[in-house]
Amino acid sequence: MTQAHPAARLLHPLFALAFILFANFSSAKPLPPVEGEVIVAFKADASVLRKHAMSARADAAAVGTTLAARASTLGARVGRSLQAGASVGERVQVMRAAGVDATTLARQLAADPEVAYAVPNGRKRLVAAPNDPLYAATAAGVRPNGPDSGQWYLRAPDSTIVAAIDIEAAWTRTTGSSSVVVAVLDTGVRFEHPDLGRVATGGKLLPGYDFVSDTAVSNDGDGRDADPSDPGDWTTAAENNQTGGTFHACGPLNPNTGRYEASNSSWHGTSTTSLIGAAANNGVGMAGTAPGVRLLPVRVLGKCFGSDGDILPALLWAAGIHVDGVPDNATPARVINMSLGGDCEVNKPCVCSASYQSAIDQVVAAGALVVVAGGNSAGHPVGEPGNCRGVLTVAALRHVGSKVGYSDIGPQIGIAAPGGNCVNTSRGSPCLYPVLAASNTGTQGPANSSWWDSYAYEVGTSFSAPLAAGVAALMFSQRSALTPAQVVTAMKAGARPFPTTGAGNGTNGLPVPQCQAPVVTLDQDQCYCTTSTCGAGMLDAGRAVAAVAGALARIDVTTTAPTAGAAVAFSGTGSVAASGAALTAYAWTLVSGGGIVTGFSSATNASTAAFTPTGAGSVTVQLVVTDSTGSSNSTTRTVDVVAAPVVTPPSTGGGGGGGGGGAASWAWVAGVGLAAAALQALRRSGLRASWRKA
């Protein structure tokens, strides 16, 4: 039943919240990959690609024909009948086969010499509220004014809300630019929500796209299309209890009956989107972290889960990278939020797959920052894609700054932000520090727009990630020329230190321990964060935006392959001054020569610098830039230098023409390791004649 408390309508007409039981959860058992489906990437020179070439702007029908032909050809090569699934990216597609599990099929296809990689088409869940009695929804009800704590996570931190991100300090500089787009890869969005709305009618939401290709999972009656509206992701008890079925175990397990219960629609994408960019100062509901930016809804999750074969092309598309069979994205994102992920499994490596790393590398190269939820499996290691290189992975904090029990941890975490926690545990009492976000009252399909409160609420790293994504969007709004790496560096530099006291008592009344390195088989409840478990510190929006408001140093290595004996060049021309100012000084310093460099070989008061290493090793340099306002900033860069190549000529035997002398001379040259230019000069001299004679 969905009815609002009459007092809510009386006091706040547009803040009437429904009676909702929020029943999302995080299963302890990782989802298996889609049965018999594999994501296959061909090598660039594969004959399969030449035989079945794809037009850069082929329509959906032509794309389907080409993908099917490639699958058929590869199947003939490996002796297995293959069917084509969806396109994932350039040279990458889903393939499926009957009667074989995904892991075995991936191994068989990866063995083909024309295949760059083949990985099972995994499935990812939304990273939502865990099935934990400390955080589960209590008896249905509503408070007339929403949570007593309101949007506590956005305010300035104090002795009570230690983890709050101080958004108003950032807003004194910018509330976000409409030129900055934040993509949200999630369950889709409700366009009619009054805190969101379509850009075309004065709202926040760009058209977006729906990438869910499986009609059973999409729940909207079709596959990929241009409508990312969230139809609801509910599952029935019958679906959840069908052993071997697509949605088996997708609902919460009732310990009394041993059966899985139905799960209501989460409206997860609407919630995460609102935390980033809900309209501010509109007299309705809540405020987003970056209310001035535009939002790009990209639907990748449906009922229960989403497949990697849909998430990966959506990730590329969101950054403006072409995906076969899908219209190009006219509004590429600078920030991409992914409040989704997979769990690590016992006795299996928990690493980023080649498919995800390849996609993320392309997205970062396109200039977009990928922000990922750390995961909600009670202090376990971070799963994919949060464990990939180049993303900003976010852990969840309690209001007092300690790690929330549900949050995963580990060295892959970049920063930590509020995730919501309740403090009280008595059934029927309100959650004291939930994350307030936009939602919908429908338990299955959509009904009325709403916001979560202290009784129907949301917590999880799903909601920590969009807070960090919103702050990143403010940073790009402040300085559009920033790179993703610069945003992450500045955000980490502005983070506040984790507290080491003040969290009260932990499990069973014992003192709260320090967080330890995560283990898949060991739950780790509330603990005091360290920089090796929860990232650089607590997210501080004001400090992060201020860090990119003044001069900002950047070092680029302009030498393609730093090699011993050859000059290694650096450029600081990518550095920027404060708005309206100009850079006036560059200062280069050799931080560590690694035993192979003693100083620069060029001026250190210019925008460029260089040195010549004598051998292989690592060298670290620092650049300090100053602008006309007097603002200074520094950065460092470490360069790995490889040894000079040693080319040994064939033996000259007893032949004439100075063969013996040439060989002896070559031994001397190789021994002192002459630079590549000197070696080339020798090749042009008499030594080359000696090599030919041999």
Side-chain angles (χ1 to χ4, degrees):
M1 184 175 182
T2 57
Q3 59 180 4
H5 194 289
R9 286 193 290 269
L10 177 63
L11 297 176
H12 296 276
L14 293 176
F15 204 76
L17 307 183
F19 284 73
I20 301 172
L21 177 64
F22 185 72
N24 286 321
F25 66 101
S26 176
S27 173
K29 184 178 180 181
L31 285 170
V34 180
E35 183 66 24
E37 287 196 1
V38 172
I39 298 173
V40 179
F42 289 104
K43 294 179 180 178
D45 60 350
S47 63
V48 174
L49 300 181
R50 293 194 301 272
K51 183 177 181 180
H52 308 294
M54 180 95 68
S55 169
R57 293 294 180 265
D59 60 24
V63 169
T65 299
T66 303
L67 296 179
R70 290 176 179 176
S72 177
T73 298
L74 180 60
R77 290 167 62 100
V78 300
R80 184 178 288 280
S81 177
L82 296 176
Q83 293 181 323
S87 171
V88 175
E90 185 181 6
R91 307 193 311 272
V92 188
Q93 69 181 92
V94 173
M95 296 185 187
R96 63 176 66 95
V100 61
D101 65 271
T103 301
T104 300
L105 180 60
R107 186 167 56 248
Q108 292 174 348
L109 299 185
D112 187 278
E114 294 196 350
V115 172
Y117 63 78
V119 296
N121 186 13
R123 297 188 290 180
K124 301 291 186 288
R125 288 191 178 97
L126 54 84
V127 180
N131 186 15
D132 189 312
L134 292 177
Y135 302 100
T138 57
V142 67
R143 293 178 61 79
N145 299 312
D148 287 343
S149 55
Q151 288 186 270
W152 65 271
Y153 45 89
L154 293 186
R155 295 200 293 266
D158 58 26
S159 59
T160 300
I161 48 174
V162 178
I165 70 172
D166 197 12
I167 196 65
E168 290 185 24
W171 285 349
T172 61
R173 298 179 183 273
T174 179
T175 56
S177 168
S178 61
S179 65
V180 174
V181 174
V182 181
V184 183
L185 273 61
D186 214 297
T187 63
V189 72
R190 294 310 309 169
F191 282 93
E192 74 278 6
H193 198 286
D195 256 333
L196 297 172
R198 296 181 185 271
V199 166
T201 57
K204 313 294 298 179
L205 298 168
L206 292 161
Y209 207 82
D210 178 4
F211 276 83
V212 182
S213 56
D214 187 332
T215 55
V217 176
S218 70
N219 208 29
D220 61 0
D222 55 29
R224 294 181 180 178
D225 58 34
D227 181 11
S229 299
D230 187 351
D233 56 357
W234 80 93
T235 57
T236 66
E239 289 174 321
N240 297 338
N241 287 285
Q242 184 181 358
T243 303
T246 301
F247 305 111
H248 180 250
C250 281
L253 179 66
N254 186 324
N256 297 320
T257 64
R259 291 179 58 79
Y260 295 98
E261 298 178 348
S263 63
N264 293 338
S265 292
S266 66
W267 313 114
H268 190 264
T270 297
S271 297
T272 55
T273 302
S274 70
L275 288 170
I276 297 169
N281 298 316
N282 63 343
V284 178
M286 59 178 288
T289 308
V293 305
R294 292 185 295 168
L295 305 164
L296 183 69
V298 186
R299 188 166 184 249
V300 298
L301 302 175
K303 293 175 61 170
C304 188
F305 59 84
S307 74
D308 294 341
D310 292 336
I311 297 170
L312 289 166
L315 179 59
L316 297 171
W317 182 86
I321 299 169
H322 176 73
V323 174
D324 290 333
V326 177
D328 287 347
N329 175 15
T331 53
R334 295 302 307 276
V335 183
I336 301 174
N337 188 82
M338 301 179 71
S339 291
L340 53 84
D343 298 322
C344 297
E345 298 185 61
V346 179
N347 298 325
K348 288 188 177 180
C350 193
V351 296
C352 180
S353 65
S355 57
Y356 267 96
Q357 194 59 67
S358 173
I360 288 167
D361 288 346
Q362 294 177 66
V363 167
V364 173
L369 172 64
V370 181
V371 182
V372 184
N376 297 336
S377 54
H380 291 189
V382 176
E384 188 181 62
N387 59 10
C388 295
R389 182 184 64 254
V391 305
L392 176 64
T393 305
V394 187
L397 299 174
R398 298 176 71 241
H399 67 294
V400 292
S402 53
K403 181 193 87 75
V404 185
Y406 55 74
S407 179
D408 291 336
I409 54 177
Q412 299 87 355
I413 299 291
I415 204 160
N421 59 286
C422 293
V423 180
N424 53 297
T425 58
S426 59
R427 185 169 181 82
S429 58
C431 180
L432 299 184
Y433 296 98
V435 173
L436 188 152
S439 188
N440 191 281
T441 62
T443 57
Q444 294 188 356
N448 300 315
S449 297
S450 66
W451 296 262
W452 297 113
D453 75 342
S454 286
Y455 289 86
Y457 58 88
E458 296 199 0
V459 297
T461 59
S462 265
F463 312 111
S464 307
L467 295 181
V471 172
L474 294 179
M475 297 168 76
F476 279 120
S477 298
Q478 179 73 29
R479 185 67 61 77
S480 61
L482 292 171
T483 65
Q486 286 176 320
V487 167
V488 172
T489 297
M491 188 183 292
K492 289 181 177 180
R496 302 193 307 275
F498 295 116
T500 56
T501 61
N505 293 325
T507 305
N508 298 323
L510 297 174
V512 175
Q514 187 178 81
C515 300
Q516 303 298 316
V519 180
V520 175
T521 56
L522 180 66
D523 289 350
Q524 195 167 170
D525 208 337
Q526 181 191 182
C527 54
Y528 287 114
C529 285
T530 66
T531 54
S532 63
T533 53
C534 305
M538 298 187 293
L539 175 66
D540 189 298
R543 291 184 179 185
V545 175
V548 298
L552 196 67
R554 172 178 171 179
I555 299 174
D556 291 308
V557 182
T558 55
T559 301
T560 304
T563 305
V568 179
F570 300 88
S571 174
T573 56
S575 303
V576 291
S579 179
L583 292 176
T584 58
Y586 299 83
W588 297 88
T589 304
L590 183 64
V591 177
S592 173
I596 59 174
V597 174
T598 57
F600 289 96
S601 57
S602 62
T604 58
N605 60 349
S607 61
T608 60
F611 58 65
T612 302
T614 59
S618 295
V619 180
T620 301
V621 301
Q622 180 187 57
L623 171 63
V624 179
V625 296
T626 305
D627 67 18
S628 54
T629 68
S631 174
S632 294
N633 183 254
S634 66
T635 188
T636 59
R637 183 73 180 265
T638 299
V639 176
D640 293 323
V641 179
V642 299
V646 177
V647 180
T648 303
S651 172
T652 60
S665 299
W666 175 254
W668 179 83
V669 170
V672 299
L674 287 183
L679 293 177
Q680 185 63 33
L682 286 171
R683 293 188 183 100
R684 291 194 296 267
S685 69
L687 271 179
R688 183 165 59 182
S690 298
W691 296 341
R692 285 180 176 173
K693 288 177 183 176

